[in-house]
């Protein structure tokens, strides 16, 4: 879409509605909700409202900047294949993609993880902020540091370009392996600032604003990523991924992002998770 054209994307009626309401001083964030509840994609609605604010000569910030994926993404994987968007939804704002990593890249990450060794996965304790084992998360995992290998560096830079978000704001990739019966029960990735332990994790880099789960090896049966509040389940192919924004456009934790890794029924599922923060991230 060329600059200045988002406002006309859905015809004259919407165009006039946007200008009329902004000129009357209506709050752009409540207009945003109506637009996305109608025909608008979230990123187009933001752009159209910003264009509208320019036109009514009242440009002002009204929402937070968040990672966002271009439509279509202008990013290629390690085999030179463009990343493909298969499906996009709102509430939560989630995008399912194909070909984020090539087969070789998937295999390279798995081999490197096995060299390092995997341990039982943990969750963040609400009070202490320490990582603890919990029945709700039974996978094994390994964390990588930023740019730990040339392959990891390349993948992080690709994910940063794909989501239009600085690579410095990404946490290190985390590889998770689930055997039959293993799962990650419904949870949120955003930190609940009511909890002392969670506050410790947001002090320097802020909230986790987006998550991308990349499938390196889907399980033949079971092991989908499920959004139980919406009854939606996704199970991308090898190299595919699901991205979702953890906060609303107002920067509040988005409760519709509750998600789970459903139990694997057969085979082994291996994914990497990439979390992105509001500000630059340094591992504590
Ligand atoms: O394994 C999955 O499908 C989801 C992983 C997940 O929920 C997470 O890492 O936060």
């Amino acid at each position: 879409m060329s600059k200045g054209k988002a406002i006309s994307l859905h015809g004259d009626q919407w165009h006039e509605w946007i200008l009329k309401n902004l000129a009357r001083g209506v709050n752009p964030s409540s207009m945003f909700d109506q637009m996305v509840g109608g025909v608008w994609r979230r990123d187009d609605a933001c752009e159209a409202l910003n264009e509208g604010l320019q036109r009514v000569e009242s440009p002002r910030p009204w929402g937070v900047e968040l990672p966002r994926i271009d439509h279509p993404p202008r990013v290629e994987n390690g085999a030179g294949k463009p990343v493909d968007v298969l499906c996009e939804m709102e509430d939560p704002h989630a995008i399912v993609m194909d070909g984020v990593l090539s087969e070789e890249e998937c295999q390279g990450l798995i081999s490197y993880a096995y060299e390092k060794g995997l341990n039982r996965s943990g969750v963040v304790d609400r009070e202490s902020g320490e990582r603890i084992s919990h029945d709700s998360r039974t996978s094994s995992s390994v964390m990588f540091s930023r740019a730990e290998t040339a392959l990891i560096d390349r993948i992080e830079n690709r994910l940063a370009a794909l989501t239009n978000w600085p690579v410095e704001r990404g946490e290190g990739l985390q590889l998770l392996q689930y055997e039959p019966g293993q799962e990650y029960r419904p949870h949120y990735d955003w930190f609940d600032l009511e909890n002392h332990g969670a506050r410790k994790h947001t002090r320097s880099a802020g909230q986790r604003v987006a998550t991308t789960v990349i499938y390196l090896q889907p399980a033949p049966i079971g092991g989908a990523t499920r959004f139980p509040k919406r009854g939606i389940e996704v199970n991308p192919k090898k190299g595919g991924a699901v991205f979702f924004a953890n906060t609303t456009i107002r920067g509040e934790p988005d409760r519709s992002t509750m998600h789970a890794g459903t139990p694997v029924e057969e085979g082994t599922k291996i994914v990497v998770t990439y979390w992105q923060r509001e500000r630059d991230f340094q591992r504590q």
Side-chain angles (χ1 to χ4, degrees), residues 137 139 174 176-178 183-189 208 211-215 223-226 234-236 242 244 257 259-262 269-275:
R137 193 181 196 197
S139 54
Q174 177 174 199
L176 305 169
Q177 173 168 294
Y178 301 80
E183 63 178 327
Y184 194 177
R185 291 195 198 138
H187 63 282
Y188 298 112
D189 285 352
R208 265 190 191 145
T211 299
T212 305
V213 181
I214 309 171
Y215 275 61
T225 304
R226 180 170 171 78
V234 300
N235 207 343
V242 54
F244 50 95
T257 60
H259 62 286
T262 64
K269 164 186 168 182
I270 307 177
V271 295
V272 278
T273 303
Y274 183 60
W275 287 304

Side-chain angles (χ1 to χ4, degrees), residues 119-183:
N119 292 303
R120 170 81 194 255
S121 305
V123 297
V124 173
D125 182 68
R126 286 169 192 235
E127 293 314 317
S128 66
E130 300 298 315
R131 268 187 187 277
I132 52 163
S133 291
H134 197 275
D135 286 351
S136 61
R137 193 181 196 197
T138 50
S139 54
S140 42
S141 49
V142 57
M143 307 277 292
F144 302 132
S145 305
R146 182 154 346 108
E148 183 165 324
T149 65
L151 173 62
I152 290 170
D153 188 32
R154 187 167 86 214
I155 292 171
E156 287 169 327
N157 277 291
R158 182 178 312 149
L159 293 171
L162 180 66
T163 55
N164 293 285
W165 205 246
V167 72
E168 293 77 14
R169 297 187 198 170
E171 295 183 35
L173 294 171
Q174 177 174 199
L175 182 140
L176 305 169
Q177 173 168 294
Y178 301 80
E179 300 295 351
Q182 295 183 342
E183 63 178 327

